[in-house]
Amino acid sequence: MIEFIAINMAPIMFASLVFFLLLGYPVAFSLAANGLVFFAIGVWMAPWSSGTITLDWPLLFTMPQRLWGVLSNETLLAIPFFTFMGIVLEKSGMAEDLLDTVGQLFGPVRGGLAYAVIIVGALLAATTGVVAASVIAMGLISLPIMLRYGYDRRVATGVIAASGTLAQIIPPSLVLIVLADQLGRSVGDMYKGALVPGLVLTGLYLGYVFLVSLVRPQWVPALPKEARTLGQGVPSLIVALIACAGIGYGAHVWLAPTHGANADILGAAFAVAVIYAVALLDRALGLGVLSRLAGQVIMVLIPPLALIFLVLGTIFLGVATPTEGGAMGAVGALVLAASKRRLSLSVVQQALIATTRLASFVMFILVGARVFSLTFYGVNGHVWVEHLLTGLPGGQMGFLIIVSIMVFLLAFFLDFFELAFIIVPLLAPAAEQLGIDLIWFGVILGVNMQTSFMHPPFGFALFYLRSVAPRGAYKDKVTGQQVAGVSTGQIYWGSVPFVVIQVIMIAVVIAFPGMVMHYKGKVIDPSTIQITVPTLQTLGGGAAGGSLGGLPALGAPKLGAPDLGGGSGGASGGLPTLGAPKLGAPVVNP
């Protein structure tokens, strides 16, 4: 019996961890406690394990050094930077301005407010990377407006919760930073790989709203004319966008010879700066070049786009690391809040408290995961997991499908940090052995973990929305009418279609790896490469040897054993001679 337990220590250890997590114990302490308890058990049972347990007490003394290596990881410094940036932007009122302006832009269209929430959710995801900030901001700002104008409560709450979770997959996502660290890959490559799937998922959300507007138009009515305070002006905005595209293309052509592949990003940045300068002059001087709607859209959208470029553009251009990009983003958020006159000591204090809380949470989970992994690897747990997963039928595809189902089910009970620190280190070796690109694998996991925020009944995005959604009837501030509240059941049912969309997105990323693989750049076929070897002059022999490129010849190696200094050359200790020096250097005789 003891031999059986000792040989199967790894699955027993993993099952006990799942048991304690299901009981509701904190993740960090469950990990550390399991690691320490099973370390002691493993040391005692090592003699009966037939060599499968390699634990000994001196191994535990290496733990302080292992923990120091974790806590001094510079890549994870990006997490507090992006968290701070997101909280400051939430307090700066940027989300409110974006929702109001984009809502006015799409107001005449059925489902216009829902489109606005999804688009603003994608913009906030690309600037904050924090789900809680996005969901709470949009829940406070857009939900009362959507209820005021007759939106179905399930559609309204589902759109808000789902668009907030885009911060999980659109860079600079916090989960992508953690996944890159756990998979041992570059955060910049992970950001590049996740960009297209994030945009495609945003498009699927928009497509769902479009289908609802066709099948149930009464669920997503257009804004009434009296609510469109910015008036008309879409043609002026279209002309401005066409002009911006033309300027960007011209700048790209001009910069391409000197900046190569980066010319497109730099050209777009130059075009956006020009159109923003025009809007500023038009508003300041009252020129009337742009309509009121076009000017408002440009003035509101450009600052967050500039912040996106400051963070992601510098990372993609190779100018900054993700950590440096996060630091610049934090400074940019402070500047943006100050420009809106909404930066105060209270805002900074709240942002610092939230950042410290999240950073401490991550740090303790990291420490617990490191203690657990020390013991788990010592009982050959990684070998057990690798054999278990690589033996699945179907090769790469079977592995990806089974792992996706497993992570989807675990996401009902664990959030993305816990999944990333517990599950991913166990899956990565098996994926690499099967030849799966780890950036592609990481993006698949990132889209999958996004569902952890939407799963009823434990989805954190649903909890965030529940905390700000009205529970009972209330009096609307604008119309003065009584508006019914939102029930928890409506929030849960509203999330179901978007969970289905996310599952479809997982299948799309698995079926079309090219969506992610573009991060590698242009793929070159080795069969098309032609290598021409230049003809070299023959090396001369001895002191009279020839020269190559004007340099004295080294002489032909001879296998004798004379000294190093003779013109006839020789060898010392069996090594070939270098020949007689001819550049005026003194001859060294042994």
Side-chain angles (χ1 to χ4, degrees):
M1 184 65 179
I2 295 180
E3 291 84 355
F4 177 80
I5 295 175
I7 293 173
N8 295 278
M9 183 71 72
I12 294 172
M13 183 178 178
F14 188 78
S16 68
L17 174 64
V18 174
F19 175 74
F20 282 113
L21 291 177
L22 291 178
L23 287 179
Y25 284 98
V27 177
F29 301 118
S30 297
L31 286 167
N34 265 271
L36 293 175
V37 169
F38 277 92
F39 190 96
I41 296 174
V43 171
W44 174 62
M45 287 191 169
W48 292 280
S49 66
S50 301
T52 58
I53 297 179
T54 57
L55 297 175
D56 201 356
W57 289 115
L59 184 62
L60 193 61
F61 303 152
T62 66
M63 183 54 64
Q65 186 175 359
R66 291 166 60 88
L67 296 182
W68 174 252
V70 170
L71 300 180
S72 59
N73 188 340
E74 292 188 5
T75 301
L76 296 179
L77 275 177
I79 292 177
F81 283 136
F82 285 126
T83 305
F84 181 83
M85 180 178 72
I87 301 300
V88 171
L89 288 177
E90 177 196 354
K91 304 298 181 183
S92 71
M94 185 186 73
E96 183 177 354
D97 294 340
L98 283 171
L99 283 168
D100 180 59
T101 303
V102 180
Q104 291 286 329
L105 179 63
F106 289 95
V109 183
R110 284 198 186 100
L113 288 176
Y115 292 138
V117 167
I118 294 172
I119 293 172
V120 171
L123 289 173
L124 291 178
T127 51
T128 65
V130 181
V131 174
S134 299
V135 173
I136 291 174
M138 290 189 294
L140 288 171
I141 300 164
S142 64
L143 184 58
I145 301 174
M146 298 173 85
L147 298 181
R148 179 185 306 152
Y149 294 112
Y151 268 67
D152 181 81
R153 280 158 175 74
R154 290 170 296 179
V155 174
T157 55
V159 165
I160 292 172
S163 59
T165 62
L166 288 172
Q168 285 297 101
I169 192 62
I170 294 180
S173 162
L174 298 184
V175 70
L176 294 179
I177 297 173
V178 176
L179 284 173
D181 177 71
Q182 294 299 304
L183 293 171
R185 291 297 183 267
S186 164
V187 177
D189 287 343
M190 190 69 75
Y191 279 177
K192 291 178 184 177
L195 188 59
V196 173
L199 296 177
V200 171
L201 183 59
T202 305
L204 291 178
Y205 287 171
L206 294 172
Y208 170 74
V209 174
F210 177 72
L211 287 177
V212 171
S213 68
L214 294 179
V215 178
R216 294 284 189 272
Q218 69 275 15
W219 286 4
V220 286
L223 277 179
K225 193 170 183 180
E226 61 272 13
R228 305 172 202 164
T229 57
L230 291 180
Q232 303 298 320
V234 175
S236 175
L237 178 62
I238 294 175
V239 171
L241 291 176
I242 293 174
C244 184
I247 295 171
Y249 178 74
H252 166 74
V253 172
W254 179 51
L255 294 171
T258 55
H259 291 81
N262 294 334
D264 50 355
I265 299 178
L266 296 175
F270 177 75
V272 169
V274 169
I275 203 68
Y276 187 66
V278 171
L280 282 176
L281 290 174
D282 183 67
R283 173 173 291 189
L285 303 178
L287 301 176
V289 175
L290 298 171
S291 66
R292 185 184 172 195
L293 176 63
Q296 181 70 10
V297 169
I298 293 172
M299 294 290 293
V300 169
L301 284 180
I302 298 303
L305 289 176
L307 194 60
I308 292 171
F309 174 77
L310 184 66
V311 177
L312 296 182
T314 53
I315 294 173
F316 291 162
L317 289 172
V319 177
T321 65
T323 302
E324 294 166 347
M328 290 191 293
V331 174
L334 291 173
V335 172
L336 192 61
S339 67
K340 294 177 177 291
R341 298 182 180 179
R342 296 183 180 179
L343 182 64
S344 63
L345 183 61
S346 174
V347 169
V348 176
Q349 185 178 16
Q350 293 176 40
L352 288 174
I353 291 174
T355 302
T356 304
R357 185 181 295 116
L358 180 62
S360 302
F361 172 72
V362 173
M363 181 186 70
F364 275 102
I365 289 184
L366 271 173
V367 170
R370 186 61 69 178
V371 175
F372 179 85
S373 66
L374 175 69
T375 304
F376 196 69
Y377 278 66
V379 297
N380 273 344
H382 59 297
V383 177
W384 169 68
V385 173
E386 188 173 316
H387 288 170
L388 183 68
L389 295 176
T390 55
L392 294 173
Q396 288 187 359
M397 195 58 62
F399 171 82
L400 291 174
I401 293 174
I402 297 298
V403 166
S404 296
I405 294 173
M406 180 184 70
V407 172
F408 180 80
L409 295 176
L410 288 174
F412 276 93
F413 312 103
L414 304 175
D415 70 5
F416 73 95
F417 274 129
E418 297 158 0
L419 288 170
F421 289 129
I422 299 172
I423 303 300
V424 173
L426 303 179
L427 300 177
E432 194 166 21
Q433 183 173 339
L434 289 171
I436 297 173
D437 183 89
L438 291 186
I439 296 294
W440 177 39
F441 185 57
V443 173
I444 293 172
L445 292 178
V447 177
N448 203 334
M449 290 179 188
Q450 187 180 353
T451 62
S452 68
F453 279 88
M454 295 288 292
H455 277 318
F458 301 116
F460 283 95
L462 308 181
F463 292 160
Y464 298 145
L465 185 58
R466 174 71 281 174
S467 68
V468 296
R471 293 179 179 272
Y474 65 97
K475 186 176 182 180
D476 187 76
K477 295 180 181 179
V478 176
T479 63
Q481 298 178 351
Q482 284 289 115
V483 179
V486 179
S487 68
T488 302
Q490 289 171 333
I491 294 176
Y492 284 169
W493 279 112
S495 69
V496 171
F498 292 94
V499 173
V500 174
I501 292 173
Q502 289 172 345
V503 172
I504 293 173
M505 190 63 209
I506 297 170
V508 170
V509 177
I510 293 175
F512 301 98
M515 296 173 62
V516 178
M517 295 300 187
H518 68 89
Y519 82 91
K520 294 183 176 181
K522 185 178 180 181
V523 179
I524 300 175
D525 184 2
S527 63
T528 63
I529 300 175
Q530 182 177 0
I531 302 176
T532 302
V533 180
T535 304
L536 301 178
Q537 297 181 18
T538 306
L539 296 176
S547 63
L548 178 63
L551 296 177
L554 299 180
K558 299 184 180 181
L559 300 179
D563 59 24
L564 293 175
S568 59
S572 176
L575 297 176
T577 182
L578 298 179
K582 286 198 164 189
L583 297 180
V587 178
V588 180
N589 287 312

